[in-house]
Amino acid sequence: MTDPVADVRSPQTPVDLQVESGKSTGGGPADVHQLEPDRAKLILTRLLRAAYPHPSFPDGPYERTADAIMTAAESDDGDLRMLLLGLRGLEVAAQGDFVSADDEAAEALLRNVGDDAFFVRIRSTAVVALYDDAEVWKALGYEGSSFEHGGYLHRGFDDLD
């Protein structure tokens, strides 16, 4: 019996993103918890920009979304470890610097982890946090909630080109 998920995956050879915490990975930290918080946030922010590419979005919404993901993960040691292992794995797969990877390379790496638990967890928080940001609303031309202003009928309902 064939795997229906395998039929829709990228034809690229997957990159092994599993990092054993007991072994050194080319000079990097052996313990995933040694991934510096600032570096983890940079990797996560780059991941978000690659996963949700909007050239018109400023850095703020991506950084706030990364903060929301980190905060959610910090509430559970297992989630935090999974997140840090995934981020460290991206670093390893990108020859040590996922943050500097060009858009095409970053997208290819993310396609390889699209079904991984750490990425699914990121996506479940990111899709809400990113698109519920007032700066994103402004960049997209969304005026926000209209209920407290009497609805959209006389407040932008038909102002799109």
Side-chain angles (χ1 to χ4, degrees), residues 3-77:
D3 180 1
V5 176
D7 295 337
V8 296
R9 289 188 185 139
S10 170
Q12 298 172 324
T13 304
V15 176
D16 184 11
L17 296 179
Q18 298 300 318
V19 178
E20 293 183 38
S21 62
K23 296 181 182 176
S24 178
T25 55
D31 181 1
V32 72
H33 289 284
Q34 291 179 7
L35 185 61
E36 294 293 325
D38 289 343
R39 183 66 185 175
K41 183 179 176 182
L42 283 173
I43 298 166
L44 185 53
T45 302
R46 176 66 179 113
L47 179 157
L48 293 167
R49 198 168 267 291
Y52 301 94
H54 296 281
S56 65
F57 286 11
D59 291 336
Y62 290 107
E63 291 167 352
R64 286 188 291 277
T65 300
D67 287 338
I69 292 166
M70 293 296 287
T71 299
E74 288 168 353
S75 67
D76 180 270
D77 285 341

Side-chain angles (χ1 to χ4, degrees), residues 68-90:
I69 292 166
M70 293 296 287
T71 299
E74 288 168 353
S75 67
D76 180 270
D77 285 341
D79 283 349
L80 181 59
R81 181 166 176 74
M82 179 175 56
L83 175 64
L84 294 175
L85 275 170
L87 295 176
R88 182 75 182 119
L90 286 173

Side-chain angles (χ1 to χ4, degrees), residues 101-159:
D102 64 35
D103 291 341
E104 192 173 304
E107 181 183 341
L109 289 170
L110 293 181
R111 286 188 184 280
N112 286 329
V113 299
D115 294 328
D116 290 1
F118 103 94
F119 189 76
V120 170
R121 185 64 173 223
I122 288 170
R123 190 172 52 226
S124 70
T125 302
V127 73
V128 174
L130 182 63
Y131 294 109
D132 193 32
D133 187 287
E135 268 189 282
V136 168
W137 293 355
K138 185 176 180 179
L140 295 174
Y142 175 60
E143 297 177 17
S145 174
S146 70
F147 179 78
E148 62 276 5
H149 302 290
Y152 287 114
L153 184 59
H154 301 292
R155 192 178 160 264
F157 176 75
D158 61 355
D159 65 351

